[in-house]
């Protein structure tokens, strides 16, 4: 056995473990979409539209139980909307929530 080459399984596992969870990925994609109009007020319908697109983008090819669990985890971590916030301010809170999810 050649010890200079890493085991392909170990490499694959390291790559997988270094990626954010699906729930965190949903929050990250939502943040990216909302930051396009960062100065606009943060409204519930804008958040819902961005979340729907992110959920579809991240989870559409996954089995239903995995998708459902990921959405449930994401909603538990989703920051509440606060009055008088811009999308940019909310994006910062989304990214913090995504980082906490890992």
């Amino acid at each position: 056995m050649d010890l200079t080459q890493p085991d392909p399984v170990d490499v694959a596992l390291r790559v997988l473990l270094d990626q954010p969870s699906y729930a965190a990925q949903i929050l990250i994609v939502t943040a990216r979409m909302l930051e396009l109009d960062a100065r606009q007020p943060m409204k519930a319908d804008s958040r819902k539209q961005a979340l729907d697109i992110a959920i579809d983008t991240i989870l559409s090819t996954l089995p239903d139980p995995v998708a459902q669990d990921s959405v449930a985890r994401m909603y538990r971590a989703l920051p509440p909307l606060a009055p008088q916030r811009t999308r940019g301010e909310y994006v910062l809170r989304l990214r913090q929530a995504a980082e906490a999810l890992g």
Side-chain angles (χ1 to χ4, degrees):
M1 185 164 135
D2 184 2
L3 297 178
T4 60
Q5 293 293 326
D7 181 18
V9 173
D10 288 342
V11 172
L13 283 173
R14 251 185 260 123
V15 168
L16 284 173
L17 293 174
D18 287 340
Q19 290 183 9
S21 67
Y22 293 126
Q25 289 179 42
I26 294 167
L27 295 176
I28 292 165
V29 171
T30 301
R32 286 180 182 158
M33 293 179 62
L34 291 172
E35 75 183 341
L36 295 174
D37 289 324
R39 294 180 187 211
Q40 295 298 317
M42 186 66 245
K43 296 184 179 179
D45 59 337
S46 301
R47 180 178 75 172
K48 181 179 179 347
Q49 182 181 21
L51 279 170
D52 288 347
I53 293 168
I55 288 168
D56 187 54
T57 301
I58 301 299
L59 305 178
S60 64
T61 62
L62 298 175
D64 285 342
V66 174
Q68 291 168 359
D69 179 65
S70 298
V71 169
R73 290 184 65 225
M74 181 276 302
Y75 273 114
R76 285 192 299 270
L78 187 66
L81 291 175
Q84 306 302 320
R85 280 206 201 275
T86 65
R87 289 181 182 195
E89 291 169 317
Y90 193 70
V91 163
L92 295 175
R93 297 179 70 209
L94 283 172
R95 289 199 170 118
Q96 289 171 345
E99 188 174 321
L101 276 174

